[in-house]
Amino acid sequence: MSPGTGHVAHQLRLLIYYHLDCNLLQNALFFAGRLHAYEPRATEAAYLLALCHLRLGQLKAAYDSSKVPGTRGTHLGCSYVFAQACLGLERYGEGVTALEKSRGLWSSRNNWNKHTESRRQHLPDAAAVQCLQGKLLHAYGDTNRAIECYAEALKLNSLMWDAFIGLCDLGVNVRLPNIFKVTPEMTIAYESGLSEQSPARTLESSPQTEGFTNKMAYHAQSISGNDPFSIATNRVNGEHRPNPSKPALYEKLNGSTSSITPMNGALGIGFDTLDTPTNMSGGIVAKSQWGGAPKAVSNLYEVVSVEPPLAPAKKTRNLAESADMNSVADAPPRMKTSYLRTKAKALGDPEEMESVSSSITSLISSTIAERKRTVSGHIAQNAPSNSTSLQNINKYDPTAPQRRSVRLINQFRPQSSKLSSSTGSLGAKEGRDIKKAKPVGTRRAQLSTVGRVVSGNRKHSDLMDIDDIKEARQNVPNPPVPLIHKSAVVERSKESESLQWLLDLLTKLGSGYFALSHYRCEEALRIFNGIPSSQKETPWVLAQMGRALYEQTSYAEAEKYFVRIKAMSPARLEDMEVYSTILWHLKSEVDLAFLAHEILDVDRLSPQAWCAVGNSFSLQRDHDQALKCFKRATQLDPKFAYAFTLQGHEHVANEEYDKAMTAYRSGIAAENRHYNAWYGLGRVFEKQGKYNVAEQHYRTAATINPTNAVLICCIGVVLEKMKNPRAALVQYTKSCELAPKSALSRFKKARVLMSLQQPTQALVELDVLKDIAPDEANVHFLLGRVYKVLRQKGNAIKHFTTALNLDPKASHYIKEVMEQMEDEDDEDSRMAH
């Protein structure tokens, strides 16, 4: 007999997901091919085949496999894989269109908090799709729509870190407290998944009155309901919907999605049907109330649950009431505490028996509302069991209607004293003596059964005095909260605290990254330094701190952070192009060459490796070899903007300005906010004498990075060349404020002050500058000129001599200025005579 089509497809899907989870991608691809051949028209088969190609990096194969169902929007998985392939193949418009056509399949999905170690959602939700759509639109150039998609993704799931990074890279001003918080959408998803995540919640919401057959059926349904491989589910657009059945109906009625896992793969749990006295070996004897041999069970949670027969009905119920009662599982009669007490006396050790009976009674009291029977023997209607049961369990409602059994007893209340005094077998005094000798836990269990024993099954040993009944009903304490409910509350509280801790951490990390993306380096460093040390001492955080110091031109300090990163993660490639540039600025030829070899050994097909090699050649002034390396980096990653910028720098060094402009413009096309490329274009135009155009490009770069002192200084240089010294002085002053230790900015500011006939202010700047750069010949030469104007001949000769010693090549020019100073002195002396 040939197997069923559904069963074969089920086995193949199971194998595919198994190999995908085990990262055996070739095996998964092989079985995906078998499934697609077996079901060539099934969209699920096309999705799995495309997914395997995508995981293997075969973008074109994934594109072709998912194109038909993906572009039609008939399967969410196919559209998502197709869009991811389009992102890698730079077919951004097709990817956006495919996701838009499938919007009806993902717009209402939210899978947050629904992934566990034993369960996952293999299709994306709205937040993931919005994030992918934002990436496609960002690459496509539609910045406004990309921002909207990123913002919508964060609204649905504030933990979507990739969307936040996208907003920061686009230069969007965001308010961090409004992002990293629990959104209403996350709250809804969290509440919907509470009963499906942990065994504690499963036991909390599961009814203990289910019969043995219903428990097994519901257990099977709960397993298959979350299994993507199950053939007992209806597949609609890749979604798994459970088939309508009695367990599913019970779930709808009771608001529970729990499952009962049987012990040893077969049996359920039921404490309500058993008397459980301890045996001599320390185990528990399981004995049903309607007869049968006792069973010794080694664990309290391995007790077999068997349903007893119902008591005979004395009254015909109408159709509505019968249907209402049939919706609730039958419950067995209450266990007799007198039987437990008798067994305890027989076995001895009353303290041990009291502890056992108390523990069992506490378990029974948690289901007291589900065990009620009427006088006729029928099961009373259960109260709604939903999420509010935990809040209402400690409440006692005195206005609730009395049970029929209680009303029957109340009819004979005036004769209670006579009955108790005239009873021969159970006198009042004797009965109260027995009552006083009962343990506290047993008394509470017995009082809780008043008026709840099935009619016709009462025993004389279970009758109580009417006065005792009245006293018991008035003094009955609130039922204790079951331990399972307390543990669920504690667990939920811990989960809430852990989520808040995670959101606080993301707020700090996000604040630091946001400040760095807007080049507020001091603020970013302060935020990152405030992160806990366990999170701070990680490669990602250290890399951000190193980049912040690099942007501040603190190359020596930045190098220390990258050295720690290499020691911590030798195979890390991210941000290594920045590290190589830092070593280039520090003129560390040996360290830079060693870094280039290390990165090549890790991955010779990474753009970071070829950038490091190119920087090494550039430091050795081998610009042609450096250009080859940078071109190779751009071939490996056409979106790697920094490689285009380095390529442009080498063309400028070779005075190939046209090629340099092409490289810089390619970098801007790859990343519009790459200020280094804007700076390079301004530098080219400045060398070509186009100062107005150069100023525009410098100002564009300064708009992106307003805290870079070099960019502000370049604007001042261009303005100075345009014969606008006062505007240049404003820029130089701003540059000195941003970088007080910048020698170049202070030198140019002092020179402009000299040109504006302000030697005293120039002297102030130069006094600071000579401490920053004591071995710079130009500084001492300018100091000599200032002292010459101030008529301080001794100080002028001193600094001219120092400049002559530091730069002997400029001796002719320095001696000429010194001779001019002597000629001026001679003329002054002649004028005096």
Side-chain angles (χ1 to χ4, degrees):
M1 184 176 66
S2 60
T5 303
H7 291 79
V8 173
H10 162 67
Q11 290 296 330
L12 288 173
R13 285 194 297 270
L14 188 148
L15 287 171
I16 294 169
Y17 279 113
Y18 167 77
H19 289 108
L20 285 176
D21 291 340
C22 295
N23 202 29
L24 300 174
L25 302 180
Q26 290 292 347
N27 289 348
L29 180 61
F30 173 78
F31 285 108
R34 302 314 101 220
L35 178 62
H36 191 265
Y38 191 76
E39 294 181 338
R41 297 184 179 180
T43 56
E44 183 79 7
Y47 160 66
L48 291 175
L49 181 62
L51 180 63
C52 294
H53 284 302
L54 184 68
R55 296 279 183 91
L56 286 168
Q58 302 170 0
L59 298 180
K60 189 61 172 63
Y63 174 90
D64 294 334
S65 301
S66 59
K67 183 175 182 179
V68 175
T71 53
R72 292 176 180 175
T74 57
H75 191 279
L76 175 56
C78 289
S79 298
Y80 192 72
V81 172
F82 179 77
Q84 286 181 312
C86 289
L87 181 62
L89 296 173
E90 300 183 10
R91 302 181 180 182
Y92 310 118
E94 296 181 32
V96 173
T97 303
L99 293 178
E100 284 295 333
K101 286 188 177 181
S102 62
R103 177 177 289 273
L105 304 178
W106 54 262
S107 59
S108 60
R109 292 177 62 91
N110 194 335
N111 296 339
W112 180 77
N113 204 45
K114 294 182 181 179
H115 291 76
T116 63
E117 296 179 355
S118 59
R119 181 193 60 180
R120 63 185 177 87
Q121 301 289 332
H122 66 287
L123 293 179
D125 60 354
V129 176
Q130 291 279 13
C131 184
L132 177 59
Q133 196 169 12
K135 293 180 181 179
L136 289 167
L137 291 169
H138 184 190
Y140 190 68
D142 195 345
T143 304
N144 293 331
R145 291 181 61 193
I147 292 174
E148 292 177 1
C149 290
Y150 285 142
E152 188 64 26
L154 286 170
K155 177 183 177 183
L156 296 172
N157 186 353
S158 60
L159 302 177
M160 191 63 66
W161 179 257
D162 214 7
F164 173 75
I165 295 296
L167 288 176
C168 292
D169 292 342
L170 286 172
V172 180
N173 290 322
V174 296
R175 299 179 62 183
L176 273 301
N178 293 337
I179 292 181
F180 296 109
K181 64 180 182 180
V182 180
T183 63
E185 291 79 4
M186 295 174 63
T187 304
I188 295 173
Y190 180 74
E191 294 295 337
S192 65
L194 277 180
S195 58
E196 300 176 1
Q197 287 189 6
S198 63
R201 293 195 185 100
T202 299
L203 289 175
E204 174 188 355
S205 59
S206 62
Q208 298 185 13
T209 56
E210 272 301 289
F212 175 77
T213 305
N214 289 343
K215 284 181 181 179
M216 295 302 297
Y218 189 65
H219 174 57
Q221 186 270 341
S222 65
I223 294 177
S224 64
N226 296 326
D227 187 5
F229 323 116
S230 175
I231 61 173
T233 58
N234 296 327
R235 290 182 176 269
V236 180
N237 296 326
E239 299 182 9
H240 304 273
R241 301 180 181 179
N243 292 327
S245 60
K246 182 177 179 181
L249 179 61
Y250 185 86
E251 173 183 337
K252 292 180 181 180
L253 293 175
N254 292 275
S256 171
T257 56
S258 60
S259 61
I260 301 297
T261 304
M263 299 302 298
N264 299 327
L267 300 178
I269 302 173
F271 299 103
D272 49 343
T273 62
L274 305 171
D275 288 334
T276 54
T278 57
N279 58 8
M280 297 304 294
S281 61
I284 297 178
V285 178
K287 179 180 179 181
S288 62
Q289 293 182 348
W290 54 90
K295 292 184 178 181
V297 184
S298 60
N299 194 327
L300 182 63
Y301 299 101
E302 296 183 2
V303 182
V304 183
S305 175
V306 184
E307 291 296 321
L310 293 175
K314 294 185 179 181
K315 182 178 180 181
T316 303
R317 301 284 181 177
N318 54 31
L319 182 60
E321 186 174 357
S322 299
D324 187 43
M325 286 187 295
N326 290 335
S327 64
V328 183
D330 295 337
R334 295 291 297 174
M335 68 184 297
K336 305 301 186 297
T337 54
S338 59
Y339 176 84
L340 181 64
R341 188 167 59 252
T342 305
K343 288 290 184 180
K345 291 181 179 180
L347 293 174
D349 197 356
E351 295 181 357
E352 180 181 358
M353 294 304 101
E354 179 179 348
S355 62
V356 172
S357 62
S358 300
S359 62
I360 296 176
T361 304
S362 64
L363 288 172
I364 295 172
S365 62
S366 64
T367 57
I368 216 171
E370 301 177 1
R371 303 295 190 271
K372 297 179 180 180
R373 288 178 180 270
T374 62
V375 176
S376 60
H378 289 275
I379 302 174
Q381 180 65 36
N382 281 346
S385 176
N386 49 24
S387 61
T388 61
S389 61
L390 185 61
Q391 302 174 358
N392 298 332
I393 193 165
N394 288 328
K395 297 181 179 179
Y396 176 75
D397 187 5
T399 62
Q402 288 185 337
R403 300 169 55 87
R404 184 169 179 239
S405 57
V406 178
R407 292 199 304 268
L408 292 174
I409 294 174
N410 290 339
Q411 293 178 3
F412 300 97
R413 184 173 299 276
Q415 301 176 2
S416 59
S417 59
K418 296 180 180 180
L419 290 174
S420 59
S421 60
S422 60
T423 303
S425 59
L426 285 175
K429 186 176 184 303
E430 181 182 356
R432 290 194 175 96
D433 290 339
I434 296 176
K435 180 180 65 176
K436 292 179 181 178
K438 296 174 186 176
V440 176
T442 307
R443 171 185 173 87
R444 183 177 301 174
Q446 187 170 353
L447 290 177
S448 63
T449 62
V450 175
R452 302 186 185 184
V453 184
V454 179
S455 176
N457 292 338
R458 289 192 180 92
K459 298 180 181 179
H460 291 289
S461 59
D462 294 329
L463 292 177
M464 295 182 61
D465 191 274
I466 301 302
D467 294 336
D468 296 339
I469 294 175
K470 181 178 180 180
E471 179 184 355
R473 290 187 62 87
Q474 293 177 352
N475 300 327
V476 62
N478 291 332
V481 178
L483 295 179
I484 189 66
H485 287 229
K486 291 182 179 179
S487 62
V489 171
V490 172
E491 180 184 358
R492 185 171 180 180
S493 176
K494 290 182 178 179
E495 289 183 358
S496 178
E497 292 175 359
S498 62
L499 178 60
Q500 188 59 47
W501 180 89
L502 179 59
L503 290 173
D504 293 340
L505 176 63
L506 290 181
T507 301
K508 294 179 181 178
L509 294 175
S511 300
Y513 188 86
F514 175 75
L516 182 59
S517 66
H518 287 71
Y519 300 100
R520 300 200 293 263
C521 301
E522 287 292 341
E523 180 183 350
L525 288 172
R526 185 180 68 254
I527 294 173
F528 285 129
N529 282 321
I531 294 175
S533 59
S534 60
Q535 296 293 327
K536 178 182 175 182
E537 295 298 323
T538 56
W540 188 86
V541 176
L542 293 177
Q544 306 309 311
M545 299 179 73
R547 287 177 64 93
L549 292 169
Y550 162 75
E551 295 294 344
Q552 291 181 324
T553 66
S554 300
Y555 301 122
E557 292 296 325
E559 181 191 11
K560 297 178 182 179
Y561 283 93
F562 282 101
V563 169
R564 292 163 62 184
I565 292 172
K566 291 297 295 181
M568 191 178 301
S569 178
R572 181 180 174 85
L573 295 175
E574 292 79 5
D575 304 306
M576 288 299 106
E577 73 280 2
V578 177
Y579 185 25
S580 65
T581 304
I582 291 172
L583 295 176
W584 186 92
H585 283 289
L586 294 174
K587 310 301 180 184
S588 302
E589 293 187 11
V590 177
D591 293 338
L592 182 54
F594 183 72
L595 175 66
H597 282 289
E598 274 189 325
I599 303 177
L600 280 177
D601 291 340
V602 174
D603 186 6
R604 64 183 306 104
L605 297 180
S606 63
Q608 294 88 350
W610 290 102
C611 284
V613 176
N615 277 329
S616 180
F617 281 116
S618 177
L619 187 58
Q620 299 171 12
R621 300 187 182 280
D622 191 349
H623 302 298
D624 293 334
Q625 290 295 329
L627 276 171
K628 292 179 181 179
C629 294
F630 295 141
K631 288 180 179 178
R632 177 57 176 162
T634 57
Q635 290 174 354
L636 292 171
D637 188 358
K639 293 296 182 181
F640 200 71
Y642 193 62
F644 286 108
T645 301
L646 294 176
Q647 184 179 337
H649 292 340
E650 297 305 314
H651 284 302
V652 171
N654 288 338
E655 297 184 354
E656 300 171 347
Y657 298 127
D658 293 337
K659 294 181 179 179
M661 291 176 65
T662 302
Y664 288 136
R665 286 167 177 165
S666 299
I668 293 173
E671 184 180 345
N672 190 41
R673 295 187 73 248
H674 189 58
Y675 77 92
N676 307 79
W678 290 102
Y679 160 78
L681 283 174
R683 186 181 174 193
V684 171
F685 287 118
E686 181 185 352
K687 288 183 176 295
Q688 292 178 344
K690 301 177 181 179
Y691 300 126
N692 290 327
V693 183
E695 181 190 358
Q696 293 177 3
H697 286 81
Y698 283 143
R699 289 189 181 277
T700 302
T703 302
I704 299 172
N705 186 356
T707 61
N708 192 298
V710 177
L711 296 176
I712 307 300
C713 184
C714 288
I715 297 174
V717 171
V718 173
L719 292 173
E720 188 178 358
K721 290 181 179 180
M722 294 170 63
K723 308 302 181 181
N724 192 354
R726 295 193 179 277
L729 179 61
V730 174
Q731 299 298 323
Y732 292 144
T733 303
K734 183 179 179 181
S735 178
C736 291
E737 292 174 355
L738 292 173
K741 296 182 180 181
S742 175
L744 180 63
S745 299
R746 288 196 179 274
F747 179 77
K748 291 185 178 298
K749 180 181 179 181
R751 192 172 61 181
V752 170
L753 289 171
M754 283 291 295
S755 65
L756 294 174
Q757 304 299 323
Q758 299 179 12
T760 305
Q761 297 181 11
L763 181 61
V764 174
E765 298 295 334
L766 290 173
D767 285 337
V768 177
L769 184 58
K770 72 178 181 180
D771 296 332
I772 299 175
D775 298 331
E776 184 61 41
N778 290 325
V779 174
H780 290 282
F781 178 74
L782 189 57
L783 271 170
R785 290 182 56 189
V786 171
Y787 283 121
K788 176 185 173 183
V789 173
L790 294 175
R791 302 291 182 175
Q792 297 182 17
K793 183 178 178 181
N795 289 330
I797 294 175
K798 173 184 175 182
H799 286 286
F800 281 140
T801 305
T802 304
L804 184 62
N805 294 331
L806 292 172
D807 190 5
K809 295 180 181 180
S811 60
H812 177 71
Y813 183 72
I814 297 173
K815 288 180 180 180
E816 183 179 353
V817 175
M818 294 175 68
E819 290 175 358
Q820 291 177 358
M821 185 176 62
E822 292 177 357
D823 294 339
E824 291 177 358
D825 292 339
D826 293 340
E827 292 179 359
D828 293 340
S829 61
R830 290 173 185 174
M831 292 291 294
H833 290 291

